[in-house]
Amino acid sequence: MGSGIPVWSDLTISDGLKYISGSYKIAMVYSGDSAPMLVLENKHSYSWDICISASEVSSGVAFYSYDDIAQAFSNYGVS
């Protein structure tokens, strides 16, 4: 089961990239008219933000796929 995140706050997952693989999706429960963006930031320099749209939405749950995350990193020259 995931962690709850208060509105307008952040969640830091140390070494989060080791948890991302093609076998998983990130799911975010939300309320509102549209799904939230998943925003990733470089913890060392804060030099880039990667914004990822949900790949699918179902009954107030937004899903973010490995492929979308990998493509967003690639667009910023990050592997």
Coordinates of all heavy atoms in Angstrom, one line a residue:
M1 N 0.8 -1.2 0.0 CA 0.0 0.0 0.0 C 0.9 1.2 0.0 O 1.9 1.3 0.7 CB -0.9 0.0 1.2 CG -2.0 1.0 1.3 SD -3.1 0.8 0.0 CE -4.6 0.5 0.7
G2 N 0.5 2.3 -0.7 CA 1.3 3.5 -0.9 C 1.1 4.4 0.3 O 0.4 4.2 1.2
S3 N 1.9 5.5 0.2 CA 1.8 6.5 1.2 C 0.9 7.6 0.8 O 0.8 8.0 -0.4 CB 3.2 7.2 1.4 OG 4.1 6.2 1.9
G4 N 0.2 8.2 1.7 CA -0.6 9.4 1.5 C 0.2 10.6 1.4 O 1.1 10.8 2.2
I5 N -0.1 11.5 0.5 CA 0.7 12.8 0.4 C -0.3 13.9 0.5 O -1.3 14.0 -0.2 CB 1.4 12.9 -1.0 CG1 2.2 11.7 -1.3 CG2 2.2 14.2 -1.1 CD1 2.8 11.7 -2.7
P6 N -0.1 14.8 1.5 CA -1.0 16.0 1.7 C -1.0 16.8 0.4 O 0.0 16.9 -0.3 CB -0.4 16.7 2.9 CG 0.4 15.7 3.6 CD 0.9 14.8 2.5
V7 N -2.1 17.5 0.1 CA -2.2 18.4 -1.0 C -1.1 19.4 -0.9 O -0.8 19.9 0.1 CB -3.6 19.0 -1.0 CG1 -3.7 20.0 -2.2 CG2 -4.7 18.0 -1.2
W8 N -0.5 19.7 -2.1 CA 0.5 20.8 -2.3 C 1.8 20.5 -1.4 O 2.4 21.4 -0.8 CB 0.0 22.1 -1.9 CG -1.1 22.5 -2.9 CD1 -2.4 22.7 -2.6 CD2 -1.0 22.9 -4.3 NE1 -3.1 23.0 -3.7 CE2 -2.2 23.2 -4.7 CE3 0.1 22.9 -5.1 CZ2 -2.5 23.5 -6.1 CZ3 -0.1 23.3 -6.5 CH2 -1.4 23.6 -6.9
S9 N 2.2 19.2 -1.3 CA 3.4 18.9 -0.7 C 4.2 17.9 -1.5 O 3.7 17.5 -2.6 CB 3.2 18.3 0.7 OG 2.6 17.0 0.6
D10 N 5.4 17.6 -1.1 CA 6.2 16.7 -1.9 C 6.5 15.5 -1.1 O 6.3 15.4 0.1 CB 7.5 17.4 -2.3 CG 8.4 17.8 -1.1 OD1 7.9 17.7 0.0 OD2 9.5 18.3 -1.3
L11 N 7.0 14.5 -1.8 CA 7.4 13.2 -1.2 C 8.7 12.9 -1.8 O 8.9 12.9 -3.0 CB 6.3 12.1 -1.5 CG 6.7 10.7 -1.1 CD1 6.8 10.5 0.4 CD2 5.8 9.7 -1.7
T12 N 9.7 12.6 -0.9 CA 11.0 12.2 -1.4 C 11.2 10.7 -1.2 O 11.0 10.3 -0.1 CB 12.1 13.0 -0.7 OG1 11.9 14.4 -0.9 CG2 13.5 12.7 -1.2
I13 N 11.6 10.0 -2.2 CA 11.9 8.6 -2.1 C 13.4 8.5 -2.4 O 13.9 8.7 -3.5 CB 11.1 7.8 -3.1 CG1 9.6 8.0 -2.8 CG2 11.5 6.3 -3.0 CD1 8.7 7.4 -3.9
S14 N 14.2 8.2 -1.4 CA 15.7 8.1 -1.6 C 15.9 6.9 -2.5 O 15.3 5.8 -2.4 CB 16.3 7.8 -0.2 OG 16.1 8.9 0.6
D15 N 16.9 7.1 -3.4 CA 17.2 6.1 -4.4 C 16.0 5.5 -5.1 O 15.9 4.3 -5.4 CB 18.0 4.9 -3.7 CG 19.3 5.4 -3.1 OD1 20.0 6.3 -3.7 OD2 19.7 4.9 -2.0
G16 N 15.1 6.4 -5.4 CA 13.8 5.9 -6.0 C 14.0 5.3 -7.4 O 13.2 4.4 -7.7
L17 N 15.1 5.6 -8.1 CA 15.2 4.9 -9.4 C 15.4 3.4 -9.4 O 15.0 2.7 -10.3 CB 16.4 5.6 -10.2 CG 16.2 7.0 -10.6 CD1 17.5 7.5 -11.3 CD2 15.0 7.2 -11.5
K18 N 15.9 2.9 -8.2 CA 16.1 1.5 -8.1 C 14.7 0.7 -8.0 O 14.7 -0.5 -8.2 CB 17.0 1.1 -7.0 CG 16.4 1.3 -5.6 CD 17.4 0.9 -4.5 CE 16.8 1.1 -3.2 NZ 17.8 0.8 -2.1
Y19 N 13.6 1.5 -7.8 CA 12.3 0.9 -7.7 C 11.5 0.9 -9.0 O 10.5 0.4 -9.1 CB 11.5 1.6 -6.6 CG 12.1 1.5 -5.2 CD1 12.7 2.6 -4.6 CD2 12.1 0.3 -4.5 CE1 13.3 2.5 -3.4 CE2 12.7 0.2 -3.3 CZ 13.3 1.3 -2.7 OH 13.8 1.2 -1.5
I20 N 12.1 1.6 -10.0 CA 11.3 1.8 -11.2 C 11.8 0.7 -12.2 O 13.0 0.5 -12.5 CB 11.6 3.2 -11.8 CG1 11.1 4.2 -10.9 CG2 10.9 3.3 -13.2 CD1 11.4 5.7 -11.3
S21 N 10.8 -0.1 -12.7 CA 11.1 -1.0 -13.8 C 9.9 -1.2 -14.6 O 8.8 -0.7 -14.3 CB 11.5 -2.4 -13.2 OG 10.4 -3.1 -12.7
G22 N 10.0 -1.9 -15.7 CA 8.9 -2.1 -16.6 C 7.8 -2.9 -16.0 O 6.7 -2.9 -16.6
S23 N 8.0 -3.5 -14.9 CA 7.0 -4.3 -14.3 C 6.0 -3.5 -13.4 O 5.1 -4.1 -12.9 CB 7.6 -5.4 -13.4 OG 8.5 -6.2 -14.1
Y24 N 6.3 -2.3 -13.2 CA 5.6 -1.5 -12.2 C 5.0 -0.2 -12.8 O 5.5 0.3 -13.8 CB 6.4 -1.0 -11.0 CG 7.0 -2.2 -10.2 CD1 8.2 -2.7 -10.5 CD2 6.2 -2.8 -9.2 CE1 8.7 -3.8 -9.7 CE2 6.7 -3.8 -8.5 CZ 7.9 -4.3 -8.7 OH 8.4 -5.4 -8.0
K25 N 4.0 0.3 -12.2 CA 3.4 1.6 -12.5 C 3.3 2.4 -11.2 O 3.2 1.8 -10.1 CB 2.0 1.5 -13.1 CG 1.9 0.9 -14.4 CD 0.5 0.9 -14.9 CE 0.3 0.2 -16.2 NZ -1.1 0.1 -16.7
I26 N 3.4 3.7 -11.3 CA 3.2 4.5 -10.1 C 1.7 4.9 -10.2 O 1.2 5.4 -11.2 CB 4.1 5.8 -10.1 CG1 5.5 5.3 -10.0 CG2 3.6 6.8 -9.1 CD1 6.5 6.5 -10.1
A27 N 1.0 4.7 -9.1 CA -0.4 5.1 -9.0 C -0.6 6.2 -8.0 O 0.0 6.2 -7.0 CB -1.3 3.9 -8.6
M28 N -1.4 7.2 -8.4 CA -1.7 8.3 -7.5 C -3.2 8.5 -7.5 O -3.9 8.7 -8.5 CB -1.0 9.6 -8.1 CG -1.0 10.7 -7.1 SD -0.2 12.2 -7.8 CE 1.4 11.6 -8.4
V29 N -3.8 8.5 -6.3 CA -5.2 8.7 -6.1 C -5.4 10.2 -5.9 O -4.6 10.9 -5.3 CB -5.7 8.0 -4.8 CG1 -7.2 8.3 -4.5 CG2 -5.5 6.5 -4.8
Y30 N -6.4 10.8 -6.6 CA -6.6 12.2 -6.6 C -8.1 12.5 -6.7 O -8.9 11.7 -7.0 CB -5.9 12.9 -7.8 CG -6.5 12.5 -9.1 CD1 -7.4 13.4 -9.7 CD2 -6.2 11.4 -9.8 CE1 -8.1 13.1 -10.9 CE2 -6.8 11.1 -11.0 CZ -7.7 11.9 -11.5 OH -8.3 11.6 -12.7
S31 N -8.4 13.8 -6.3 CA -9.7 14.3 -6.5 C -9.6 15.6 -7.3 O -8.7 16.3 -7.2 CB -10.5 14.5 -5.2 OG -9.8 15.5 -4.4
G32 N -10.5 15.8 -8.2 CA -10.5 17.0 -9.0 C -10.9 16.7 -10.4 O -11.3 15.6 -10.7
D33 N -10.7 17.7 -11.3 CA -11.2 17.6 -12.6 C -10.2 16.9 -13.6 O -10.6 16.3 -14.6 CB -11.5 19.0 -13.2 CG -12.7 19.6 -12.5 OD1 -13.5 18.9 -12.0 OD2 -12.7 20.9 -12.5
S34 N -8.9 16.9 -13.2 CA -7.9 16.3 -14.1 C -6.8 15.6 -13.2 O -6.6 16.0 -12.1 CB -7.3 17.3 -15.0 OG -6.7 18.3 -14.3
A35 N -6.2 14.7 -13.8 CA -5.1 13.9 -13.1 C -3.9 14.8 -12.9 O -3.6 15.7 -13.7 CB -4.7 12.7 -14.0
P36 N -3.2 14.7 -11.8 CA -2.0 15.5 -11.5 C -0.8 15.1 -12.3 O -0.8 13.9 -12.9 CB -1.7 15.2 -10.0 CG -2.4 13.9 -9.8 CD -3.5 13.8 -10.7
M37 N 0.1 16.0 -12.5 CA 1.4 15.6 -13.2 C 2.3 15.0 -12.1 O 2.3 15.4 -11.0 CB 2.1 16.9 -13.7 CG 1.2 17.6 -14.7 SD 1.2 16.8 -16.3 CE 2.9 17.2 -16.9
L38 N 3.1 14.1 -12.6 CA 4.2 13.5 -11.7 C 5.4 14.4 -12.0 O 5.8 14.5 -13.2 CB 4.4 12.1 -12.1 CG 5.5 11.3 -11.3 CD1 5.2 11.3 -9.8 CD2 5.7 9.9 -11.9
V39 N 6.0 15.0 -11.0 CA 7.1 15.9 -11.2 C 8.4 15.3 -10.5 O 8.3 15.0 -9.3 CB 6.8 17.3 -10.6 CG1 8.0 18.2 -10.8 CG2 5.6 17.9 -11.3
L40 N 9.4 15.1 -11.2 CA 10.7 14.6 -10.7 C 11.7 15.7 -10.8 O 11.8 16.4 -11.7 CB 11.1 13.4 -11.5 CG 10.1 12.3 -11.7 CD1 10.6 11.2 -12.6 CD2 9.7 11.7 -10.3
E41 N 12.6 15.8 -9.7 CA 13.6 16.9 -9.7 C 14.9 16.3 -9.3 O 15.0 15.4 -8.5 CB 13.1 17.9 -8.6 CG 14.0 19.1 -8.5 CD 13.4 20.1 -7.6 OE1 13.3 19.8 -6.4 OE2 13.0 21.2 -8.1
N42 N 16.0 16.8 -9.8 CA 17.3 16.4 -9.5 C 17.6 16.9 -8.1 O 17.6 18.1 -7.8 CB 18.3 17.1 -10.5 CG 19.7 16.7 -10.2 OD1 20.2 16.5 -9.1 ND2 20.5 16.4 -11.3
K43 N 17.9 16.0 -7.2 CA 18.1 16.3 -5.8 C 19.4 17.0 -5.5 O 19.6 17.7 -4.4 CB 17.9 15.1 -4.9 CG 19.1 14.2 -4.9 CD 18.9 13.0 -3.9 CE 20.2 12.1 -3.9 NZ 20.0 11.1 -2.9
H44 N 20.3 17.0 -6.4 CA 21.6 17.6 -6.2 C 21.7 19.0 -6.6 O 22.3 19.9 -6.0 CB 22.7 16.7 -6.8 CG 22.8 15.3 -6.3 ND1 23.3 15.0 -5.0 CD2 22.5 14.2 -6.8 CE1 23.2 13.7 -4.8 NE2 22.7 13.2 -5.9
S45 N 21.2 19.3 -7.8 CA 21.3 20.6 -8.4 C 20.0 21.4 -8.6 O 20.0 22.5 -8.8 CB 22.0 20.6 -9.7 OG 21.2 19.9 -10.7
Y46 N 18.9 20.6 -8.5 CA 17.6 21.2 -8.7 C 17.5 21.9 -10.1 O 16.8 22.9 -10.3 CB 17.1 22.2 -7.6 CG 17.2 21.5 -6.2 CD1 18.2 21.8 -5.3 CD2 16.3 20.6 -5.9 CE1 18.3 21.2 -4.1 CE2 16.3 20.0 -4.6 CZ 17.3 20.3 -3.7 OH 17.4 19.7 -2.5
S47 N 18.3 21.4 -11.0 CA 18.5 22.0 -12.3 C 17.4 21.7 -13.3 O 17.3 22.3 -14.3 CB 19.9 21.7 -12.9 OG 20.0 20.3 -13.1
W48 N 16.7 20.6 -13.1 CA 15.6 20.3 -14.0 C 14.4 19.6 -13.3 O 14.6 19.0 -12.3 CB 16.1 19.3 -15.1 CG 17.0 18.2 -14.6 CD1 18.3 18.1 -14.7 CD2 16.5 16.9 -14.0 NE1 18.7 16.9 -14.1 CE2 17.7 16.2 -13.7 CE3 15.3 16.4 -13.6 CZ2 17.6 14.9 -13.1 CZ3 15.2 15.2 -13.0 CH2 16.4 14.5 -12.8
D49 N 13.3 19.9 -13.8 CA 12.1 19.2 -13.4 C 11.6 18.4 -14.6 O 11.5 18.9 -15.7 CB 11.0 20.2 -13.0 CG 11.4 21.0 -11.7 OD1 12.1 20.5 -10.9 OD2 10.8 22.1 -11.6
I50 N 11.2 17.2 -14.3 CA 10.6 16.3 -15.4 C 9.1 16.2 -15.0 O 8.8 15.7 -13.9 CB 11.3 15.0 -15.4 CG1 12.8 15.2 -15.8 CG2 10.6 14.0 -16.4 CD1 13.6 13.9 -15.9
C51 N 8.3 16.6 -15.9 CA 6.8 16.5 -15.7 C 6.3 15.4 -16.6 O 6.5 15.4 -17.8 CB 6.2 17.9 -16.0 SG 6.7 19.2 -15.0
I52 N 5.5 14.5 -15.9 CA 5.0 13.4 -16.6 C 3.5 13.3 -16.5 O 3.0 13.4 -15.4 CB 5.6 12.1 -16.1 CG1 7.2 12.1 -16.2 CG2 5.1 10.8 -16.8 CD1 7.9 11.1 -15.4
S53 N 2.8 13.2 -17.6 CA 1.3 13.1 -17.6 C 1.0 11.6 -17.3 O 1.7 10.7 -17.6 CB 0.8 13.5 -18.9 OG 1.0 14.9 -19.1
A54 N -0.2 11.4 -16.8 CA -0.7 10.1 -16.5 C -0.9 9.3 -17.8 O -1.4 9.9 -18.8 CB -2.0 10.1 -15.7
S55 N -0.5 8.1 -17.9 CA -0.6 7.3 -19.1 C -2.0 6.7 -19.1 O -2.5 6.4 -20.2 CB 0.4 6.2 -19.1 OG 0.4 5.4 -18.0
E56 N -2.7 6.5 -18.0 CA -4.1 6.1 -17.9 C -4.7 6.6 -16.6 O -4.0 6.9 -15.6 CB -4.2 4.6 -18.0 CG -3.6 3.8 -16.9 CD -3.7 2.3 -17.1 OE1 -4.8 1.7 -16.8 OE2 -2.7 1.7 -17.6
V57 N -6.0 6.8 -16.7 CA -6.8 7.3 -15.5 C -8.0 6.5 -15.4 O -8.7 6.1 -16.3 CB -7.2 8.8 -15.8 CG1 -8.0 9.3 -14.6 CG2 -6.0 9.7 -16.0
S58 N -8.3 6.1 -14.1 CA -9.5 5.2 -13.9 C -10.0 5.5 -12.5 O -9.3 5.3 -11.5 CB -9.1 3.8 -14.0 OG -10.2 2.9 -13.7
S59 N -11.2 6.0 -12.4 CA -12.0 6.3 -11.2 C -11.1 7.0 -10.1 O -11.0 6.6 -9.0 CB -12.5 5.0 -10.6 OG -13.3 4.3 -11.5
G60 N -10.5 8.2 -10.5 CA -9.8 9.0 -9.6 C -8.4 8.4 -9.2 O -7.8 8.9 -8.3
V61 N -7.9 7.5 -10.0 CA -6.5 7.0 -9.9 C -5.8 7.3 -11.2 O -6.2 6.9 -12.3 CB -6.5 5.5 -9.6 CG1 -5.1 5.0 -9.4 CG2 -7.3 5.2 -8.3
A62 N -4.6 8.0 -11.1 CA -3.8 8.2 -12.2 C -2.6 7.3 -12.2 O -2.0 7.1 -11.1 CB -3.3 9.7 -12.2
F63 N -2.3 6.7 -13.3 CA -1.2 5.7 -13.5 C -0.1 6.3 -14.3 O -0.4 6.9 -15.4 CB -1.7 4.4 -14.1 CG -2.7 3.7 -13.2 CD1 -4.0 3.9 -13.4 CD2 -2.3 2.9 -12.2 CE1 -5.0 3.3 -12.6 CE2 -3.2 2.2 -11.4 CZ -4.5 2.4 -11.6
Y64 N 1.1 6.1 -13.9 CA 2.3 6.6 -14.6 C 3.2 5.4 -15.0 O 3.6 4.7 -14.1 CB 3.1 7.7 -13.8 CG 2.2 8.8 -13.3 CD1 1.4 8.6 -12.2 CD2 2.0 9.9 -14.1 CE1 0.5 9.6 -11.7 CE2 1.1 10.9 -13.7 CZ 0.4 10.8 -12.5 OH -0.5 11.7 -12.1
S65 N 3.4 5.2 -16.2 CA 4.1 4.0 -16.7 C 5.6 4.2 -16.7 O 6.1 5.3 -16.9 CB 3.6 3.6 -18.1 OG 4.1 4.4 -19.1
Y66 N 6.3 3.1 -16.6 CA 7.8 3.0 -16.8 C 8.2 3.7 -18.1 O 9.1 4.5 -18.1 CB 8.3 1.6 -16.7 CG 9.7 1.5 -17.0 CD1 10.7 1.7 -16.0 CD2 10.2 1.1 -18.3 CE1 12.0 1.6 -16.2 CE2 11.5 1.0 -18.5 CZ 12.5 1.2 -17.5 OH 13.8 1.1 -17.8
D67 N 7.5 3.3 -19.2 CA 7.9 3.8 -20.5 C 7.8 5.3 -20.6 O 8.7 6.0 -21.1 CB 7.0 3.2 -21.6 CG 7.4 1.7 -21.8 OD1 8.5 1.3 -21.5 OD2 6.5 1.0 -22.3
D68 N 6.7 5.9 -20.0 CA 6.6 7.4 -19.9 C 7.6 8.0 -19.1 O 8.2 9.1 -19.4 CB 5.2 7.7 -19.4 CG 4.1 7.4 -20.4 OD1 4.3 7.2 -21.6 OD2 2.9 7.3 -19.9
I69 N 8.0 7.4 -18.0 CA 9.0 8.0 -17.1 C 10.4 7.9 -17.8 O 11.1 8.9 -17.8 CB 9.1 7.2 -15.8 CG1 7.8 7.5 -15.0 CG2 10.3 7.6 -14.9 CD1 7.6 6.6 -13.8
A70 N 10.7 6.7 -18.4 CA 12.0 6.6 -19.1 C 12.1 7.6 -20.3 O 13.1 8.2 -20.5 CB 12.1 5.2 -19.6
Q71 N 11.0 7.8 -21.0 CA 11.0 8.7 -22.1 C 11.2 10.2 -21.7 O 11.9 10.9 -22.2 CB 9.7 8.6 -22.9 CG 9.6 9.6 -24.2 CD 10.7 9.2 -25.2 OE1 10.9 8.1 -25.6 NE2 11.5 10.3 -25.5
A72 N 10.6 10.5 -20.6 CA 10.7 11.9 -20.0 C 12.2 12.1 -19.6 O 12.7 13.1 -19.8 CB 9.8 12.1 -18.8
F73 N 12.8 11.1 -18.9 CA 14.2 11.2 -18.6 C 15.0 11.4 -19.8 O 15.9 12.2 -19.9 CB 14.6 10.0 -17.8 CG 14.4 10.1 -16.3 CD1 13.3 9.6 -15.7 CD2 15.4 10.7 -15.5 CE1 13.1 9.7 -14.3 CE2 15.2 10.8 -14.1 CZ 14.1 10.3 -13.5
S74 N 14.8 10.6 -20.8 CA 15.5 10.6 -22.1 C 15.4 12.0 -22.7 O 16.4 12.5 -23.3 CB 15.0 9.6 -23.0 OG 15.7 9.6 -24.3
N75 N 14.2 12.6 -22.7 CA 14.0 13.9 -23.3 C 14.9 15.0 -22.6 O 15.3 16.0 -23.2 CB 12.6 14.4 -23.1 CG 11.7 13.6 -24.0 OD1 12.1 12.8 -24.9 ND2 10.4 13.6 -23.7
Y76 N 15.3 14.7 -21.3 CA 16.2 15.7 -20.6 C 17.6 15.2 -20.6 O 18.5 15.8 -19.9 CB 15.7 15.8 -19.2 CG 14.5 16.7 -19.1 CD1 13.2 16.3 -19.2 CD2 14.7 18.1 -18.8 CE1 12.1 17.1 -19.1 CE2 13.6 18.9 -18.6 CZ 12.4 18.5 -18.8 OH 11.3 19.3 -18.7
G77 N 17.9 14.1 -21.4 CA 19.3 13.7 -21.5 C 19.8 12.9 -20.2 O 21.0 12.8 -20.0
V78 N 18.8 12.4 -19.5 CA 19.1 11.6 -18.3 C 18.8 10.2 -18.5 O 17.8 9.8 -19.1 CB 18.3 12.1 -17.1 CG1 18.6 11.3 -15.8 CG2 18.6 13.6 -16.9
S79 N 19.7 9.3 -18.1 CA 19.4 7.8 -18.2 C 19.2 7.2 -16.9 O 19.6 7.7 -15.9 CB 20.5 7.1 -19.0 OG 21.7 7.3 -18.3

